[in-house]
Amino acid sequence: MRGISDKTAVVGMGCTRFKEQWDKSTDDLIIEAVQEALNDAGIELDDIDAAWIGTMDSGYAGTTLSSALKTNYIPVTRVENMCATGSEAFRNACYAVAAGAYDTVLVVGVEKLKDSGYSGLVINSPDGDGTFPNITAPAAFSLLAPAYFHKFGLDNASGKEVLSRIAWKNHRNGSLNKKAQYQREIPMEKIMNSPLIAEPLGILDCSGVADGAAAAIIMRTDDAKRRKKDPMYIKALSIAAGNGEGMLMQGFDFTSIKENLVSSSSAYKEAGIKDPSKEIDMAEVHDCFTPTELVIYEDLGFSEKGMGWKDAMNGKFDLDGKLPVNPDGGLKSFGHPIGASGLRMLYEMYLQFQGRAEKRQLNNPKIGLTHNLGGYPWQCVSFVSIIGKELS
């Protein structure tokens, strides 16, 4: 595998606030995010050669973007890959630039969920033979918690405290972010006693839904260095699509997600990462539910197997910890407008590298990771990016 390390770079990014935006259309959100990205890069819309739009249900063709921006008949590709949709759009755009097909491209992720009349994610189930379990997302991911507690010797009360600690951390980080949907710290006691959704998950173990958009402008590395003094360099982009064997295997124990293992292993190999717990300076991961983040710590090699809960309780993943996870507040603070979340994560990496993260600013991070997961624990797509402040 040749990979993409240091061949492309991000020269501009934009992101709307994520929240209920009754007064803004999908077009409005796209325009706001793209205008910030163009201003940041110091280029005009006419400089864009091609574009990608990631959305799950807020538009069904490239015209979702071309109509909003009134682009001049450039190619626009719509991408959907469940909760990894925004990251997948970014991956495709980077590869198009690296291949030499285009010089400057735009990628946008957008979703407008709050006007859908539906309280959760919008998912149209494909036809099947009727054997696929009819289960909600909170119920599916709640299965991770008791399995983890049992395997690694936690009683229910101790396990619940670990999950609540993860939610507490992310909301604490989100309280420092003016673009987060929820900008308040939430006490541990309130999280632990929040109304049950799917035992042991309370409502504060679950990410919310929101409207939002984020955008990035990508160039080849040589062009990026001439355009901007501090671009964000792409080290690796990896995605793994599960084949569903987890649902059929007796050995699947709900304490690890194979797609995470495959996508992270591939990304680390491409980026030359040998020990992610020491070489990754910060990470944005898919905290759709608190036990998901707990399992991710171990799947991505941030913690040894069975030690993620101890690392979480000891503050390793806090803003001032050894490996801050979700420094922007994560899905817990932002909600999850599906097409936008992956690019929102990259936006935080971009701000951190440039020293623009304000009260959340970390101490000179140089290597970051973003992760998305779409589907169920036993069958999903998993995306991992490695990005850097400097060329290797």
Side-chain angles (χ1 to χ4, degrees), residues 284-310:
E284 287 283 332
V285 305
H286 199 85
D287 58 319
C288 52
F289 304 97
T290 50
T292 319
E293 182 168 325
L294 177 59
V295 167
I296 289 168
Y297 294 152
E298 300 178 12
D299 283 350
L300 269 53
F302 298 168
S303 296
E304 294 181 12
K305 196 65 183 172
M307 298 296 288
W309 70 273
K310 288 186 178 179

Side-chain angles (χ1 to χ4, degrees), residues 129 131-133 242-254 258-259 377-379:
D129 62 5
T131 60
F132 196 82
N243 58 20
E245 66 179 10
M247 191 165 54
L248 305 174
M249 295 173 64
Q250 291 286 343
F252 184 74
D253 68 358
F254 287 88
K258 186 171 182 178
E259 289 85 348
W378 55 84
Q379 183 179 20

Side-chain angles (χ1 to χ4, degrees), residues 155-208:
D155 58 37
N156 290 340
S158 299
K160 180 68 175 177
E161 185 176 3
V162 172
L163 301 183
S164 300
R165 180 65 165 71
I166 292 170
W168 173 83
K169 166 185 69 72
N170 290 346
H171 279 293
R172 187 184 191 200
N173 294 349
S175 73
L176 304 175
N177 195 327
K178 60 187 178 185
K179 292 197 174 183
Q181 177 170 216
Y182 307 118
Q183 300 180 12
R184 289 192 304 171
E185 291 191 48
I186 301 180
M188 278 283 290
E189 183 179 359
K190 186 171 185 178
I191 296 170
M192 293 184 69
N193 295 302
S194 65
L196 286 176
I197 296 296
E199 194 172 9
L201 305 187
I203 194 168
L204 290 173
D205 288 292
C206 311
S207 68

Side-chain angles (χ1 to χ4, degrees), residues 59-304:
Y60 295 102
T63 51
T64 304
L65 185 140
S66 60
S67 294
L69 298 178
K70 298 295 180 284
T71 55
N72 192 22
Y73 298 91
I74 61 172
V76 181
T77 304
R78 174 191 179 262
V79 175
E80 184 280 316
N81 210 349
M82 292 199 284
C83 296
T85 290
S87 295
E88 182 70 305
F90 182 78
R91 188 177 75 97
N92 280 264
C94 287
Y95 271 92
V97 173
Y102 303 108
D103 294 326
T104 305
V105 305
L106 168 69
V107 56
V108 179
V110 67
E111 209 74 56
K112 190 157 176 59
L113 294 172
K114 301 302 290 187
D115 290 350
S116 67
Y118 189 71
S119 61
L121 302 182
V122 180
I123 297 175
N124 297 313
S125 299
D127 291 337
D129 62 5
T131 60
F132 196 82
N134 184 14
I135 188 170
T136 66
F141 283 90
S142 75
L143 299 174
L144 299 174
Y148 187 96
F149 300 166
H150 175 74
K151 185 169 183 176
F152 299 115
L154 293 168
D155 58 37
N156 290 340
S158 299
K160 180 68 175 177
E161 185 176 3
V162 172
L163 301 183
S164 300
R165 180 65 165 71
I166 292 170
W168 173 83
K169 166 185 69 72
N170 290 346
H171 279 293
R172 187 184 191 200
N173 294 349
S175 73
L176 304 175
N177 195 327
K178 60 187 178 185
K179 292 197 174 183
Q181 177 170 216
Y182 307 118
Q183 300 180 12
R184 289 192 304 171
E185 291 191 48
I186 301 180
M188 278 283 290
E189 183 179 359
K190 186 171 185 178
I191 296 170
M192 293 184 69
N193 295 302
S194 65
L196 286 176
I197 296 296
E199 194 172 9
L201 305 187
I203 194 168
L204 290 173
D205 288 292
C206 311
S207 68
V209 293
D211 304 328
I217 295 169
I218 302 159
M219 293 180 170
R220 281 188 295 279
T221 292
D222 288 347
D223 294 336
K225 287 192 296 184
R226 286 191 288 271
R227 166 65 58 181
K228 200 174 185 69
K229 66 176 183 180
D230 50 3
M232 181 170 74
Y233 299 102
I234 313 305
K235 306 293 182 181
L237 301 170
S238 176
I239 195 160
N243 58 20
E245 66 179 10
M247 191 165 54
L248 305 174
M249 295 173 64
Q250 291 286 343
F252 184 74
D253 68 358
F254 287 88
T255 65
S256 179
I257 296 172
K258 186 171 182 178
E259 289 85 348
N260 286 340
L261 302 176
V262 174
S263 63
S264 60
S265 175
S266 174
Y268 293 152
K269 181 179 180 182
E270 185 175 346
I273 300 290
K274 304 295 184 186
D275 185 347
S277 69
K278 295 180 180 176
E279 296 176 62
I280 302 293
D281 296 321
M282 58 180 173
E284 287 283 332
V285 305
H286 199 85
D287 58 319
C288 52
F289 304 97
T290 50
T292 319
E293 182 168 325
L294 177 59
V295 167
I296 289 168
Y297 294 152
E298 300 178 12
D299 283 350
L300 269 53
F302 298 168
S303 296
E304 294 181 12

